[in-house]
């Protein structure tokens, strides 16, 4: 089943909803594609849907629930991906942090 909250999240001059599935990410991606939502709208465990597409999402079968209910449904389905548990930076970024130029601290020299 697919769920979304009402458009209440402001960003970039628009209001946004969150679209989730309690079955699988495959179901979520297929529904988002049918809705015309671009893949870049996917954020870890949900799609950000602009207010203009809200009515179409409901017409296609998404059920409207409060925002807290979305989080509960994702947790119960084992599909919740909180920010603090997302994958680490790619290896190339980790390598950059090891080899990046660093500022050298000047230590005062003592002359006796």
């Amino acid at each position: 089943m697919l769920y979304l909250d009402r458009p209440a999240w402001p960003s970039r001059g628009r209001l946004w909803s969150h679209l989730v599935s309690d079955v699988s990410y495959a179901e979520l991606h297929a529904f988002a594609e049918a809705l015309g939502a671009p893949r870049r709208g996917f954020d870890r465990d949900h799609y950000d849907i602009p207010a203009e597409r809200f009515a179409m999402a409901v017409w296609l079968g998404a059920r409207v629930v409060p925002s807290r209910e979305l989080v509960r449904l994702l947790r119960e389905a084992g599909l919740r991906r909180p920010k603090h548990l997302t994958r680490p930076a790619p290896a190339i970024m980790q390598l950059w942090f090891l080899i990046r130029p660093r500022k050298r601290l000047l230590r005062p020299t003592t002359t006796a």
Side-chain angles (χ1 to χ4, degrees):
M1 179 61 112
L2 291 139
Y3 303 89
L4 79 160
D5 57 5
R6 296 203 176 273
W9 306 97
S11 180
R12 292 173 274 159
R14 302 164 104 175
L15 290 177
W16 299 79
S17 294
H18 299 111
L19 176 69
V20 305
S21 168
D22 66 348
V23 174
S24 69
Y25 294 120
E27 179 188 43
L28 179 60
H29 293 308
F31 188 90
E33 186 176 337
L35 183 59
R39 187 65 180 246
R40 70 178 177 272
F42 183 68
D43 185 18
R44 295 182 320 273
D45 56 12
H46 68 276
Y47 271 87
D48 293 322
I49 304 295
E52 299 81 42
R53 291 201 176 137
F54 179 81
M56 179 60 80
V58 173
W59 185 81
L60 287 172
R63 195 166 153 208
V64 180
V65 297
S67 300
R68 289 180 189 255
E69 182 73 2
L70 292 181
V71 175
R72 186 189 67 76
L73 289 163
L74 285 171
R75 282 188 182 139
E76 285 182 2
L79 298 172
R80 180 73 171 132
R81 290 183 182 166
K83 276 186 184 179
H84 71 279
L85 294 180
T86 55
R87 65 177 179 257
I92 191 73
M93 289 302 294
Q94 292 174 4
L95 179 61
W96 167 249
F97 286 113
L98 292 174
I99 64 171
R100 73 183 189 272
R102 296 186 180 125
K103 291 181 183 177
R104 293 184 182 218
L105 297 175
L106 297 176
R107 294 187 180 148
T109 57
T110 56
T111 54

